[in-house]
Amino acid sequence: MAFTLNVNGRAHAIDAEEDTPLLYVLRDELGLNGAKYGCGVGQCGACTVLCDGKSLRSCLVPASALGGREVATLEGLKAPDGTLHPVQRAFLTEQAGQCAYCIPGMVMAAVALLREKPRLTEAEIRSALDANLCRCGSHNRIVRAIQRAAEELAR
Ligand code: FES
């Protein structure tokens, strides 16, 4: 099936099976490897990207269903001059990644979260990211990173 997929501000002509998950198209067709395959069934959050600014588990949604929508991946987060997004900077500053496999999904989920609600309590951050799993147990650093990013974005 041929369709157009908008990713990180660019339109891509895609030819894939109708039910091919967005995650596979991003990684295998477009070479965007930020979103990770964790569980493949919507349970871990490693594959999180943005769709029209909202958090989306890319393993669950066929890419062919996203015509006319705007998908954003970790690769599209930095500014055109290469400046990292405040959430990316905060994750680095707080050393939130250990093996870092979950971090792209965490960063994208955090970006969506802070757009939706810029001021959050620690409990709200933990609750919102409850379904993004980190097998290294870096959750405390991840929460601190999101708090740091929220402070920077509020300035
Ligand atoms: Fe999509 Fe786990 S790979 S939620």
Side-chain angles (χ1 to χ4, degrees):
M1 178 181 180
F3 57 93
T4 300
L5 186 66
N6 299 317
V7 183
N8 299 333
R10 281 186 53 201
H12 300 271
I14 305 293
D15 191 0
E17 296 295 325
E18 189 176 358
D19 60 352
T20 304
L22 173 62
L23 177 62
Y24 294 5
V25 169
L26 292 173
R27 294 180 59 85
D28 301 339
E29 305 296 326
L30 302 181
L32 298 170
N33 294 322
K36 299 290 188 282
Y37 182 97
C39 65
V41 290
Q43 299 291 315
C44 74
C47 66
T48 302
V49 298
L50 304 185
C51 181
D52 295 339
K54 305 251 190 246
S55 177
L56 176 78
R57 303 216 157 181
S58 62
C59 69
L60 291 181
V61 181
S64 63
L66 298 175
R69 315 283 292 275
E70 186 56 47
V71 174
T73 69
L74 186 76
E75 291 87 347
L77 210 51
K78 62 182 185 289
D81 69 358
T83 303
L84 293 179
H85 186 280
V87 171
Q88 291 175 296
R89 285 202 300 275
F91 270 66
L92 288 171
T93 302
E94 293 293 341
Q95 299 182 354
Q98 288 188 44
C99 86
Y101 196 80
C102 70
I103 294 299
M106 291 282 189
V107 167
M108 298 311 281
V111 168
L113 179 63
L114 292 173
R115 278 185 189 159
E116 200 177 297
K117 193 165 184 202
R119 295 186 186 281
L120 293 147
T121 65
E122 180 181 336
E124 286 172 326
I125 294 170
R126 288 186 186 279
S127 171
L129 291 184
D130 194 33
N132 280 71
L133 306 182
C134 170
R135 288 170 202 273
C136 304
S138 273
H139 293 100
N140 289 336
R141 288 172 186 244
I142 289 166
V143 169
R144 282 203 300 273
I146 295 171
Q147 290 172 314
R148 176 183 285 275
E151 283 167 19
E152 185 176 339
L153 287 164
R155 277 186 217 135

